Structures are given as structure tokens and as C-alpha cells.
């Protein structure tokens, strides 16, 4: 929910309204953090962190909570704010897939998606490297960059 408000600081509203929206979004971060804190207290920190499935939950809590002050202090277009938002979104997608396993009708689909992504990890890695490589050629040529002299720049 709160990741869709990345651009709150540049929405053109007053500073008080922006802080109000950030506070509303922050309330959405409270429940997952409280839930994990209660689990840590009930099971003990050693038992909780010995299960590797709990690490993404803690990372999700930290990134979602750190996103808010970074947007207020640094702004939503700062590199740190963007990286925190990207990591929070990726962790949220993972959590959503885990929650969908609860429903009997969706469990086979979620399992299939996870298995397919795991089986295709080598292809996805090579595809990612090739995509970045092809993108870098345009970056080196300066296509679309007004600061780079040459015939390839936008006019």
C-alpha cells in the first residue's frame, strides 16, 4: 500500500498534507512489525532467526519502516529512497506469494510459479546480463542525452 505513495513529497500539496500521508502510510507498517515482534518474544530470538523463512519478514519490516524517513528527509527521487522502495516491493511480492499458499485453490499455482522461477534462474541471469549489456550500448552512444555531442542525441 505505502509503496504506491513514492512520490508524495512531489505531489504539489502542502508540507503538512505530505506528512499526514506519510503518517497514514506509516500506520500500514506497524502491523507487520508488531506481529514479528510478538513472534520473536513468544518463540525467542534464537529460534525465530534459526528459521531462514523469517529473515525476509524482518527485512521487509526494516525496509518498509526506513522508506518513510528517507522520503521525508532525502526525498523520493534520492537513490537510497528508490533502493529501499525497490527492495520493499520485491519483499512484498514474496510475502504475497507466501500468503496465497493458504488458499487451497491457489497453492498449486504459487508452488508452480516458484518452481519455474527457480528452474529458470540460469536463463533469467543470462537474459538480465544481456539486457544490461544492450542497454549500456545506448548509454555509451548517448542516445537521448542532450549533454552528449553527436548525431545520436535528441533535439
Amino acid at each position: 500500500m505505502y509503496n504506491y505513495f513514492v512520490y508524495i513529497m512531489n505531489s504539489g500539496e502542502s508540507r503538512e498534507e505530505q506528512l499526514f500521508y506519510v503518517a497514514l502510510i506509516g500506520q500500514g507498517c506497524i502491523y507487520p512489525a508488531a506481529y514479528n515482534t510478538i513472534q520473536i518474544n513468544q518463540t525467542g530470538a534464537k529460534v525465530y532467526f534459526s528459521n531462514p523463512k523469517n529473515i525476509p519478514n524482518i527485512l521487509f519490516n526494516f525496509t518498509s519502516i526506513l522508506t518513510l524517513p528517507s522520503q521525508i528527509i532525502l526525498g523520493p527521487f534520492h537513490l537510497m529512497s528508490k533502493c529501499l522502495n525497490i527492495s520493499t516491493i520485491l519483499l512484498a511480492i514474496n510475502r504475497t506469494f507466501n500468503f496465497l499458499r493458504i488458499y487451497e485453490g491457489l497453492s498449486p499455482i504459487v508452488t508452480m510459479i516458484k518452481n519455474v522461477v527457480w528452474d529458470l534462474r540460469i536463463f533469467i541471469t543470462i537474459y538480465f546480463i544481456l539486457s544490461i549489456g544492450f542497454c549500456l550500448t545506448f548509454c555509451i552512444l548517448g542516445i537521448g542525452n542532450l549533454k552528449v555531442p553527436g548525431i545520436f542525441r535528441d533535439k
Side-chain angles (χ1 to χ4, degrees), residues 43-78:
T43 61
K46 187 175 181 180
V47 174
Y48 184 82
F49 289 111
S50 66
N51 186 357
K53 292 183 179 180
N54 291 330
I55 303 298
N57 294 335
I58 295 297
L59 288 175
F60 175 76
N61 289 335
F62 281 126
T63 58
S64 62
I65 291 171
L66 288 175
T67 297
L68 299 173
S70 73
Q71 287 187 15
I72 293 171
I73 297 168
L74 302 173
F77 298 109
H78 193 270

Side-chain angles (χ1 to χ4, degrees), residues 1 56 99 108 144:
M1 159 183 102
F99 288 138

Side-chain angles (χ1 to χ4, degrees), residues 35-46:
Y35 182 79
N36 284 333
T37 304
I38 291 170
Q39 277 191 324
I40 291 170
N41 288 336
Q42 288 178 348
T43 61
K46 187 175 181 180

